[in-house]
Amino acid sequence: MEKYDVIVIGSGPAGNSAAYGFKEQGRKVAIIESDLWGGTCPNRGCDPKKMLMSGVEAQKRIETMVGKGFEQTPKIIWEDLMSFKRSYTDSVPQNTKDGIDAAEIDRYTGQASFIDAHQIIVNDKILASDQFLIATGQRPSVLPIDGQDLLQSSTDFLALEHLPEKIAFIGAGYIAFELAVIASAAGSEVHIIHHNDRPLKEFDQELVTALVEHMKSEGVHFHFNVNTKAIELNHPQYRITGEDFELITDRVFGATGRIPNMEALNLEKAGVTYDKKGIKVDDHLRTTQKNIFACGDVVAKSQPKLTPVASFEAGYVVKAMADSAEAIKYPLIPTIVFGDQRLARLGISERELTAHPEKYHSQTMDLSSWYTYQRINDQGAKIKFVYDEEDKIAAITCLSQLADEVINYLLIALTKKMTHEEIEKFIFAYPSPASDLSYFI
């Protein structure tokens, strides 16, 4: 039986980063992966999605300039765009393994299962450790309806060799929106089906509505207040039905959330408590078993389950597991829906704002006439500030082609509690989102 100081379960951005951190502390480390080395994000999540989105951004950038120096919008060749994506993703598993091996971290491929709080079994091999870090992430959930086996996931979409003529997404979260933008721009007829009339519920409704209208103008079809009941194979197509609703499509993708990967771990044998939202941890990311920690998307938490958050937790937990860290304190966390029009958000949650409307007031600014946006013909650019009773910024939502850049600059300004006078002491490159900061703060 092999004995370690720390065993990491999961090789995604959180687990992989933590394993390197433990090794740098001089500890004997092993890492276990049951699926693709590198985890979801670089293999079949945010990274490949953004590779495809880069083609959309290039296309839409020219589309906004048709009649202003360009004659027509370029066509996306799906197969070539997928080849571009694979130029990155194909090498991720091997590169991850090579890096782990070079760091002299022991590596095991297989499903880990706890025997007790200090032992696990993987591929009939028993491993013992003083401490464990669980970083197994999440996977797409499957809508429990008739014909659920016909549903495909975001993983399947990101592996499409050829783009179907007609696609339906069930769900209206950020994954559905981003994949819908990609498919529509590449020439597919796209439908989004949602059980209520509030898509992207974690974002400001006013700017979500503006984004929906923009996507409608680009040809995306929305079907709100539709409870999908069943999917039937109507070879070679699929029939989606709900109450007073029917749609025939070439592919159906479920985008109704994600669930934590933990069932096969036998957490009960290790004394680790969990629920459907994930593994329960304290403010040091310690589970109910004091020598077992967890971080990343497998954790039950109120913070967004995003790759940067998982990486932040990994950096923290390396110190916490060495008993050299205070309770974790999360900084401001931006969330973004990517597309040709990006929706970015920062600050107090929409749930909090909705629960206590009397505490807050807001201002929405049309940015389309500002030179930063006028020069790229971003006619839908908007930003909304929500203020508390002391007129301090409580939340920000931005909708524009440059929203991700804007929200990151504002993140720094708010974190540092910069005043208007302090920002004006800087000379930023012009024109750029940074050069507009003094108009916001």
Side-chain angles (χ1 to χ4, degrees):
M1 179 174 63
E2 197 72 29
K3 176 74 165 58
Y4 295 92
D5 297 319
V6 184
I7 292 178
V8 178
I9 306 174
S11 72
N16 205 32
S17 174
Y20 282 104
F22 295 132
K23 186 66 178 181
E24 289 172 2
Q25 292 175 338
R27 308 176 80 179
K28 185 178 180 181
V29 184
I31 187 168
I32 302 167
E33 176 57 59
S34 64
D35 195 4
L36 288 175
W37 286 90
T40 296
C41 180
N43 281 294
R44 50 192 176 207
C46 37
D47 287 356
K49 185 169 56 181
K50 300 306 186 300
M51 297 287 284
L52 298 181
M53 190 67 78
S54 65
V56 177
E57 291 164 355
Q59 180 201 58
K60 296 298 185 181
R61 181 73 186 86
I62 294 177
E63 184 177 88
T64 61
M65 297 299 291
V66 170
K68 301 171 180 63
F70 291 86
E71 291 186 351
Q72 60 185 9
T73 303
K75 179 183 178 182
I76 291 176
I77 301 172
W78 182 260
E79 291 75 14
D80 291 347
L81 185 59
M82 288 296 289
S83 293
F84 174 58
K85 183 218 74 168
R86 288 194 296 271
S87 71
Y88 172 80
T89 57
D90 282 359
S91 61
V92 167
Q94 190 58 51
N95 287 345
T96 302
K97 290 186 285 187
D98 289 346
I100 292 169
D101 294 344
E104 298 182 342
I105 297 169
D106 287 354
R107 174 171 54 82
Y108 297 88
T109 300
Q111 177 59 57
S113 179
F114 281 97
I115 298 172
D116 55 39
H118 289 279
Q119 296 182 97
I120 61 169
I121 185 169
V122 55
N123 293 338
D124 298 325
K125 187 177 182 65
I126 296 175
L127 307 176
S129 182
D130 296 328
Q131 293 181 313
F132 291 89
L133 174 63
I134 303 171
T136 48
Q138 295 186 113
R139 66 184 185 277
S141 62
V142 179
L143 194 65
I145 58 174
D146 291 341
Q148 65 181 40
D149 56 310
L150 300 175
L151 275 171
Q152 293 189 293
S153 69
S154 57
T155 299
D156 299 306
F157 179 91
L158 294 171
L160 284 173
E161 292 295 332
H162 306 287
L163 187 67
E165 292 183 6
K166 190 173 181 179
I167 289 177
F169 295 96
I170 300 176
Y174 75 93
I175 292 176
F177 269 64
E178 291 179 347
L179 298 186
V181 166
I182 293 169
S184 178
S188 185
E189 178 185 319
V190 178
H191 295 257
I192 291 179
I193 304 167
H194 193 48
H195 68 278
N196 60 32
D197 59 0
R198 183 66 173 92
L200 296 174
K201 63 181 180 180
E202 302 300 329
F203 289 81
D204 176 80
Q205 186 166 6
E206 179 185 356
L207 268 64
V208 168
T209 298
L211 176 58
V212 168
E213 291 304 314
H214 167 73
M215 291 174 64
K216 285 181 178 179
S217 72
E218 295 292 313
V220 177
H221 304 269
F222 287 87
H223 307 277
F224 293 131
N225 296 310
V226 173
N227 280 312
T228 303
K229 300 295 185 183
I231 302 170
E232 303 171 31
L233 179 59
N234 191 8
H235 193 76
Q237 295 179 303
Y238 300 86
R239 179 173 175 259
I240 306 168
T241 56
E243 188 173 345
D244 300 321
F245 177 82
E246 178 178 307
L247 180 68
I248 304 296
T249 184
D250 296 317
R251 293 287 183 94
V252 189
F253 295 94
T256 51
R258 301 176 69 81
I259 55 176
N261 293 318
M262 55 189 183
E263 298 90 343
L265 293 172
N266 278 328
L267 295 173
E268 295 87 352
K269 291 186 177 180
V272 173
T273 301
Y274 63 93
D275 60 22
K276 65 180 181 179
K277 294 182 179 179
I279 295 173
K280 295 186 177 182
V281 297
D282 64 12
D283 58 7
H284 283 70
L285 300 184
R286 183 186 291 109
T287 71
T288 47
Q289 183 62 255
K290 65 180 182 179
N291 69 306
I292 301 176
F293 292 69
C295 71
D297 291 356
V298 75
V299 172
K301 57 186 176 182
S302 58
Q303 290 76 22
K305 294 191 175 186
L306 303 170
T307 297
V309 179
S311 297
F312 176 84
E313 291 172 346
Y316 166 83
V317 82
V318 168
K319 297 176 182 178
M321 290 175 68
D323 296 322
S324 59
E326 298 178 351
I328 189 168
K329 294 180 180 179
Y330 291 91
L332 287 169
I333 301 171
T335 53
I336 303 172
V337 180
F338 283 88
D340 58 306
Q341 284 289 97
R342 301 167 189 173
L343 185 67
R345 192 190 188 286
L346 184 68
I348 293 174
S349 70
E350 288 299 315
R351 184 175 301 173
E352 167 69 16
L353 297 179
T354 302
H356 301 284
E358 73 283 356
K359 292 184 178 181
Y360 306 100
H361 58 283
S362 64
Q363 175 191 19
T364 302
M365 303 168 67
D366 186 338
L367 303 178
S368 60
S369 63
W370 294 26
Y371 181 67
T372 301
Y373 304 90
Q374 193 171 11
R375 73 181 180 86
I376 58 174
N377 198 30
D378 190 351
Q379 298 178 357
K382 295 180 176 66
I383 192 166
K384 184 172 183 177
F385 290 88
V386 178
Y387 304 92
D388 63 17
E389 294 168 305
E390 298 178 355
D391 282 335
K392 293 181 179 178
I393 297 173
I396 307 169
T397 306
C398 183
L399 176 66
S400 80
Q401 295 177 26
L402 306 174
D404 52 339
E405 296 181 50
V406 172
I407 213 70
N408 279 334
Y409 286 124
L410 288 169
L411 168 68
I412 296 171
L414 293 185
T415 300
K416 296 295 184 181
K417 298 181 180 179
M418 298 175 70
T419 64
H420 175 79
E421 290 73 24
E422 288 173 324
I423 289 174
E424 286 208 316
K425 291 179 181 178
F426 291 89
I427 299 176
F428 294 104
Y430 173 86
S432 68
S435 65
D436 293 332
L437 273 178
S438 61
Y439 301 111
F440 296 140
I441 303 296

